[in-house]
Amino acid sequence: MKAARKSTIAVVDDDVRVLESIEDLLESAGHSVCLFSSPQSLLERDMLRKIDCLIADIGMPVVDGFELRRRARKVRPDLPVIFITARHEAADQRRAAAESHHGFFRKPFDASALLAAVARAVLAPPEGSSDDK
């Protein structure tokens, strides 16, 4: 029996405490985690092809989570994206709902709910694919 491959999750947030807590959470669930304090650092390292899911903060300077998702889609149209935010603006939730995503969480969020969203995201078939083989 082959061991299941670990999923690699990239987390982008400008708050180092959030990065560290999400890293601990995801690693405790068996995922590999790559942390980035800005969208630019993720994009510069050309990591989009190497990850299975992206968790992105919406409220970051220069490039926000929505713009990061847009840029990521150019490289990986099938990449699952989960949004997180400390902002409580209804417009953010409406904008997230209008875009394709695998989860939207306001900080502080429920750890088990985030883990469940990540599990669904990495197990979901790519958009536009068929489960029939």
Side-chain angles (χ1 to χ4, degrees):
M1 176 184 272
K2 278 173 54 174
R5 183 182 72 81
K6 277 188 174 185
S7 298
T8 301
I9 314 301
V11 183
V12 184
D13 197 306
D14 56 346
D15 184 335
V16 69
R17 294 169 305 187
V18 172
L19 288 174
E20 290 170 352
S21 66
I22 293 176
E23 177 183 37
D24 290 345
L25 176 67
L26 293 172
E27 285 181 345
S28 74
H31 300 287
S32 294
V33 184
C34 301
L35 303 178
F36 301 92
S37 60
S38 73
Q40 297 89 324
S41 61
L42 168 69
L43 297 169
E44 288 168 3
R45 293 210 31 225
D46 194 31
M47 291 292 295
L48 291 173
R49 296 186 195 284
K50 300 171 186 160
I51 61 175
D52 300 301
C53 182
L54 170 63
I55 298 175
D57 184 22
I58 290 174
M60 294 181 286
V62 185
V63 176
D64 68 14
F66 294 120
E67 177 61 16
L68 175 58
R69 182 200 165 282
R70 188 187 68 73
R71 292 182 188 185
R73 287 291 197 165
K74 288 182 178 181
V75 177
R76 289 272 313 276
D78 62 334
L79 180 65
V81 176
I82 295 172
F83 291 119
I84 59 176
T85 186
R87 302 185 319 197
H88 289 271
E89 298 175 23
D92 287 336
Q93 192 163 5
R94 284 192 302 271
R95 185 172 177 192
E99 305 199 17
S100 176
H101 65 79
H102 286 77
F104 180 91
F105 295 89
R106 286 197 173 99
K107 301 172 192 174
F109 43 79
D110 179 80
S112 59
L114 180 63
L115 286 176
V118 169
R120 285 190 304 272
V122 298
L123 293 175
E127 290 180 21
S129 71
S130 172
D131 287 341
D132 301 329
K133 299 221 179 214

